[in-house]
Amino acid sequence: MNLKSVNKIETNKYELEITVGAEEFEKGLQDAFKKNAKQIQVPGFRRGKAPRKFIEKVYGEGVFYEDAVNALYPQAYSDAIVESGLIPVDRADIDITEVSKEGFSFKAVVTTKPEVTVTGYKGIEVKKLDRKVEDADIDDDIRRLRERNARTITVEDRAAENGDITKIDFEGFVDGVAFEGGKGENYSLTLGSNQFIPGFEDQIIGHNTGDEFDVNVKFPEDYHAEELKGKDSVFKVKLHKIEKRELPELDDEFAKDASEFDTLAELREDIAQKIKNRFDTAANNEVEGKLMDAVIAGLEAEIPEVMYTNRIDEMVRDFEYRMSAQGINLDMYLQYTGMDMESFRGNFREQAERQVKTRLALEGIVKAEGIDLTEEELEAEYNKAAETYNITADELKKYVPADDMKADATVSKAIQFVRDNAVITVVDSIEEEKTEEPASEE
């Protein structure tokens, strides 16, 4: 491979001229011959037994050129990129310009990572909220714990109330005709959960077990089924069962049943500590978000559009994978939500831009501050990642090159560098509220 030239054709875009010589090309031609010989018929020879020179004589000297070029140019391009020092952010546009027995030449137009400048990332001033744990916070967690440990009992002495769990049969009609998807039997519906269209659950309230009655509702104008939008409908309903959830008594016995603690006081103390940990984590995340906002504000770079597009592609693939785990493909999701692909991708645009800018800015700080990893730190990163994937560090090294591991780890160190050099003022909730109070009119 010979990198003949590297020419900048516009911002973040370069054209590389690359040649592959006769000796290397000859090896590629021989490999192409071995790969294809069995499929080529030459008069006077059994299939697959004709020498290469006879095949080239019958079918032309260039019979194996295309296969040889396709096999050789990716590595030639990769080697040229390393030699050029460029960092591509997208697949190159390849144009084969010349092919002969002496070798071949091609041009590669490549979009590269932009040059960046980052300023103002030292001494960033932010406030960190030190939120105190209140009794109401603990009570909320206790309430949720009681709800998880509640038992369901059948109600027989009263009519259905908001919050009850009902078992119903129903069938929906529009203009006296039953519609598809409007029928259910022994359906479990919690009143007040808003699972059904507005007004449906309200009309079950006040009915008793065994009642049969009509529910009159109107489908919303934005309902997902086109044929039902804005239509008046009647549901024939039979109420089979009413249940309610009964919360356990709030005492030491509850603490023993619902946790590893013997007393309610111990349980509350543990919950208080967990809430505090949540508050602290949220506060730290908020601080980091504010720091990254400031870092992005100090970023100067002409960012290629393809970097945003590629990040959106990754986010869409990740979303599609998570949906498939629930048995829903992306086409089904788009149909259900009434979105087209363009608007769906647009939902990721802002987040993609922020992620791309944040990464570029942090990489700029890594370069400006000479942030690096020692061999011991690199090994520690491999060990930490290997533990996450439940494999050995040596196995992980086969899949994740040291340069990639180092790039991610140095970016993490850059985040810590920004934080270490920031001016972080800790405020409590009362002080925070005071700073947001409007100025006095006096």
Side-chain angles (χ1 to χ4, degrees):
M1 185 281 300
N2 178 37
L3 178 59
K4 292 180 64 177
S5 66
V6 179
N7 301 304
K8 186 174 183 178
I9 55 178
E10 59 183 80
T11 303
N12 303 318
K13 189 163 285 191
Y14 293 81
E15 182 183 76
L16 283 62
E17 292 188 63
I18 305 161
T19 62
V20 175
E23 183 178 351
E24 190 174 356
F25 191 46
E26 172 58 28
K27 292 178 181 177
L29 290 170
Q30 186 62 22
D31 289 341
F33 160 67
K34 292 177 180 178
K35 175 184 175 183
N36 294 287
K38 291 183 179 180
Q39 283 76 47
I40 299 176
Q41 181 69 55
V42 177
F45 293 91
R46 285 181 296 147
R47 183 180 295 274
K49 298 299 182 180
R52 177 180 149 193
K53 65 179 180 179
F54 280 95
I55 296 175
E56 291 174 337
K57 184 176 181 180
V58 172
Y59 292 98
E61 183 181 70
V63 63
F64 297 118
Y65 281 6
E66 183 176 355
D67 279 354
V69 168
N70 287 338
L72 292 172
Y73 89 78
Q75 187 60 52
Y77 166 73
S78 180
D79 293 342
I81 285 294
V82 172
E83 184 176 333
S84 71
L86 299 175
I87 304 176
V89 295
D90 196 25
R91 296 182 64 177
D93 291 329
I94 303 295
D95 180 26
I96 307 299
T97 56
E98 185 179 352
V99 186
S100 72
K101 64 181 180 180
E102 300 303 321
F104 67 94
S105 302
F106 66 97
K107 293 180 179 179
V109 176
V110 57
T111 303
T112 62
K113 186 175 289 188
E115 290 291 329
V116 305
T117 301
V118 191
T119 58
Y121 57 86
K122 294 180 182 177
I124 301 171
E125 297 183 4
V126 295
K127 291 180 179 179
K128 178 182 176 181
L129 179 61
D130 181 19
R131 183 176 170 187
K132 307 302 182 185
V133 179
E134 306 289 345
D135 285 341
D137 300 317
I138 302 172
D139 292 341
D140 283 343
D141 273 26
I142 289 285
R143 175 181 52 78
R144 285 188 285 270
L145 185 59
R146 290 178 74 195
E147 289 174 350
R148 289 198 297 272
N149 286 271
R151 65 190 184 100
T152 302
I153 61 174
T154 301
V155 175
E156 298 177 340
D157 57 350
R158 63 168 174 79
E161 297 177 354
N162 193 41
D164 284 344
I165 304 165
T166 60
K167 290 288 179 65
I168 61 171
D169 293 342
F170 63 88
E171 186 171 15
F173 299 82
V174 172
D175 296 330
V177 179
F179 56 86
E180 185 177 355
K183 185 176 182 179
E185 295 182 352
N186 284 314
Y187 188 91
S188 180
L189 176 63
T190 300
L191 304 183
S193 63
N194 298 317
Q195 291 182 49
F196 282 22
I197 59 177
F200 187 100
E201 295 168 26
D202 293 339
Q203 294 178 56
I204 297 176
I205 294 172
H207 285 284
N208 293 283
T209 300
D211 285 358
E212 297 185 34
F213 51 93
D214 290 349
V215 168
N216 296 280
V217 290
K218 184 174 184 176
F219 281 95
E221 295 293 341
D222 59 353
Y223 194 67
H224 63 84
E226 189 68 33
E227 68 277 9
L228 297 176
K229 288 182 176 180
K231 295 290 182 67
D232 291 318
S233 61
V234 178
F235 283 84
K236 301 291 184 181
V237 178
K238 181 172 183 179
L239 179 55
H240 289 294
K241 192 175 186 180
I242 304 171
E243 296 176 317
K244 69 175 183 178
R245 291 173 62 79
E246 187 173 73
L247 300 180
E249 290 295 326
L250 191 54
D251 53 23
D252 290 344
E253 287 304 314
F254 165 71
K256 292 175 183 178
D257 292 339
S259 71
E260 69 272 29
F261 300 102
D262 293 327
T263 67
L264 184 60
E266 291 174 318
L267 175 59
R268 289 182 66 87
E269 184 178 346
D270 180 71
I271 288 175
Q273 184 57 56
K274 288 176 179 175
I275 293 173
K276 180 58 178 171
N277 292 342
R278 293 204 304 265
F279 287 170
D280 290 347
T281 298
N284 285 328
N285 289 339
E286 185 178 7
V287 165
E288 185 170 307
K290 291 177 180 177
L291 292 175
M292 292 305 102
D293 286 342
V295 167
I296 290 172
L299 171 67
E300 294 181 15
E302 294 187 46
I303 303 173
E305 175 63 24
V306 71
M307 294 188 73
Y308 299 136
T309 302
N310 288 345
R311 183 65 191 117
I312 292 172
D313 288 343
E314 293 170 0
M315 297 167 82
V316 168
R317 285 194 296 271
D318 180 64
F319 183 92
E320 190 170 11
Y321 174 78
R322 286 185 280 111
M323 286 292 99
S324 66
Q326 302 176 36
I328 304 173
N329 62 42
L330 188 54
D331 288 338
M332 289 170 56
Y333 177 82
L334 294 178
Q335 184 178 4
Y336 182 77
T337 57
M339 283 193 291
D340 57 23
M341 180 57 77
E342 183 178 356
S343 60
F344 173 70
R345 288 175 61 85
N347 291 334
F348 297 103
R349 177 73 190 198
E350 183 177 348
Q351 186 181 358
E353 285 191 8
R354 178 178 173 82
Q355 290 179 2
V356 169
K357 290 177 181 179
T358 299
R359 179 78 182 203
L360 286 173
L362 291 171
E363 288 175 346
I365 294 172
V366 167
K367 183 177 179 180
E369 298 297 332
I371 297 173
D372 202 355
L373 255 65
T374 65
E375 288 299 320
E376 292 77 11
E377 288 175 326
L378 180 60
E379 192 65 25
E381 290 295 326
Y382 271 115
N383 289 330
K384 183 169 64 175
E387 187 175 341
T388 300
Y389 295 109
N390 198 28
I391 59 176
T392 67
D394 289 338
E395 288 176 310
L396 184 61
K397 290 175 184 178
K398 297 175 184 177
Y399 305 104
V400 182
D403 286 346
D404 291 349
M405 181 65 74
K406 185 175 289 190
D408 288 340
T410 52
V411 162
S412 295
K413 290 185 75 171
I415 295 174
Q416 189 59 48
F417 179 89
V418 172
R419 191 178 188 108
D420 290 343
N421 285 274
V423 180
I424 301 174
T425 305
V426 179
V427 297
D428 63 27
S429 55
I430 296 175
E431 292 172 330
E432 186 73 6
E433 289 171 1
K434 286 180 179 178
T435 62
E436 295 175 356
E437 288 179 358
S440 172
E441 295 182 357
E442 294 182 3

